Amino acid sequence: MKKILEKKQLSADVFRMKIEAPLIAEERQAGQFLIIQIDQNYGERIPLTIANANAEEGFVEIIFQAVGATTQKLSRLNVGDFIENVLGPLGQPTHIEKKDGPVVCVGGGIGVAPMHPIVEAHHKAGNKVITIMGARNKELLIMEDEMRALSDELIICTDDGSYGRKDLVTVPLKELCESENPPSEVFAIGPPIMMKFCAETTRPFAVPTMVSLNTIMVDGTGMCGGCRVSIGNETKFVCVDGPEFDGHLVDFDNMMLRQKAYKKHEAHRCNLDVEAEKLEAKQK
């Protein structure tokens, strides 16, 4: 069991938690993730990327959006509460090396959280880092100060123009690809459709582009096969082969189709919860 040391609400349904996990904090590298299980016995296991870690103080940080049953339960836990199981670090670390040209990191929405350790690692490697952050509006932007501190240039895009540029993240990405000093490498993390179009943006320029996939995952060890994806017509497992892959080889359409497999079940509300809400309303 792991103790929650700190909790912050970043927006209406996005939360940041600091979790006591000294061994994971010591071993983790950029790009790796955790499997978290809140409930005892057969509880849902969900993958969450390590947004930050401190080996000296023995904690890791996660940032998550309360969209499903487990993340909503997780959002209701508070400082001092315990998470039943935290497994990690899992997945292949990000390959970091010194680049001649800039490294462009594109984070969309909650995808900025897993992008943070990658930006940090490239900054430490001495690379010029240009970060592009995108969100529907200003209120949904996260980790701006942290990303600005690690980036040589920070470009912010919002869909409604409430902050930064009123553009999709692919617009400044294309401008950078067309510039006199194009990216040596691009990383993109966010909604699958955003990553797909980032990869399509860089493809004509032959800029190497890595994406971090967040698929349906159960055990995190490659045994269940739930996270399988098609990469260059080969089947790969996100949990052990990824989560990062060459964006130009990912079959995004197939991946997005698989992501929708349980959509109707996710929309279902437990009858017990409905009845409990009715009972609470009568008691008020």
Side-chain angles (χ1 to χ4, degrees):
M1 298 179 68
K2 304 297 183 187
K3 188 177 183 180
I4 298 172
L5 303 175
E6 189 175 300
K7 174 185 176 184
K8 291 181 180 177
Q9 187 165 1
L10 303 183
S11 66
D13 54 4
V14 177
F15 298 83
R16 183 173 191 163
M17 280 185 177
K18 187 182 291 186
I19 302 170
E20 187 176 44
L23 295 180
I24 297 175
E26 189 174 331
E27 295 295 329
R28 74 96 196 192
Q29 297 180 58
Q32 293 186 299
F33 65 94
L34 307 171
I35 291 281
I36 284 181
Q37 179 185 358
I38 298 175
D39 302 313
Q40 296 179 349
N41 301 327
Y42 310 113
E44 184 185 29
R45 296 154 58 92
I46 58 169
L48 291 172
T49 303
I50 304 169
N52 199 7
N54 188 314
E56 293 180 355
E57 297 184 23
F59 67 81
V60 297
E61 284 187 293
I62 57 172
I63 295 179
F64 61 94
Q65 189 169 16
V67 292
T70 297
T71 48
Q72 287 178 7
K73 287 181 181 178
L74 183 60
S75 72
R76 292 195 285 269
L77 296 180
N78 293 303
V79 174
D81 290 338
F82 288 85
I83 298 174
E84 187 68 21
N85 288 308
V86 178
L87 176 65
L90 299 172
Q92 301 297 322
T94 305
H95 179 70
I96 304 291
E97 62 181 9
K98 186 72 177 70
K99 299 288 186 181
D100 293 331
V103 174
V104 176
C105 297
V106 187
I110 196 76
V112 171
M115 184 62 78
H116 176 258
I118 296 172
V119 171
E120 183 180 42
H122 277 291
H123 175 75
K124 286 182 179 177
N127 288 321
K128 178 181 180 180
V129 181
I130 301 174
T131 301
I132 303 173
M133 292 172 52
R136 292 200 306 274
N137 55 56
K138 181 180 180 181
E139 284 68 35
L140 297 177
L141 286 168
I142 61 172
M143 303 188 80
E144 179 186 347
D145 292 341
E146 290 98 324
M147 298 299 256
R148 192 179 297 280
L150 295 169
S151 305
D152 294 276
E153 183 180 351
L154 179 67
I155 301 169
I156 294 177
C157 298
T158 51
D159 292 352
D160 64 357
S162 55
Y163 194 56
R165 296 175 53 164
K166 186 180 180 181
D167 269 328
L168 299 174
V169 293
T170 49
V171 177
L173 177 59
K174 184 180 180 185
E175 292 170 357
L176 291 168
C177 290
E178 293 172 333
S179 69
E180 295 181 353
N181 189 23
S184 289
E185 190 170 24
V186 168
F187 284 80
I189 306 179
I193 193 69
M194 187 211 84
M195 292 189 286
K196 174 183 177 180
F197 281 99
C198 283
E200 291 306 315
T201 299
T202 60
R203 190 189 299 277
F205 302 95
V207 175
T209 300
M210 299 299 291
V211 297
S212 182
L213 305 182
N214 185 8
T215 55
I216 295 169
M217 197 177 291
V218 180
D219 61 23
T221 64
M223 296 178 66
C224 76
C227 64
R228 68 182 181 273
V229 289
S230 179
I231 310 293
N233 294 321
E234 291 185 20
T235 297
K236 299 288 185 180
F237 299 103
V238 171
C239 63
V240 292
D241 297 319
E244 294 175 5
F245 296 97
D246 183 339
H248 295 155
L249 299 179
V250 175
D251 185 341
F252 282 104
D253 293 338
N254 178 268
M255 188 188 85
M256 288 187 282
L257 189 63
R258 286 177 54 79
Q259 293 285 72
K260 294 177 181 176
Y262 299 101
K263 201 70 177 179
K264 63 180 181 181
H265 300 287
E266 291 173 351
H268 171 71
R269 295 194 65 202
C270 175
N271 290 332
L272 286 175
D273 288 341
V274 174
E275 292 305 316
E277 289 175 5
K278 290 180 181 177
L279 184 61
E280 289 177 358
K282 287 181 181 178
Q283 292 174 341
K284 289 181 180 177

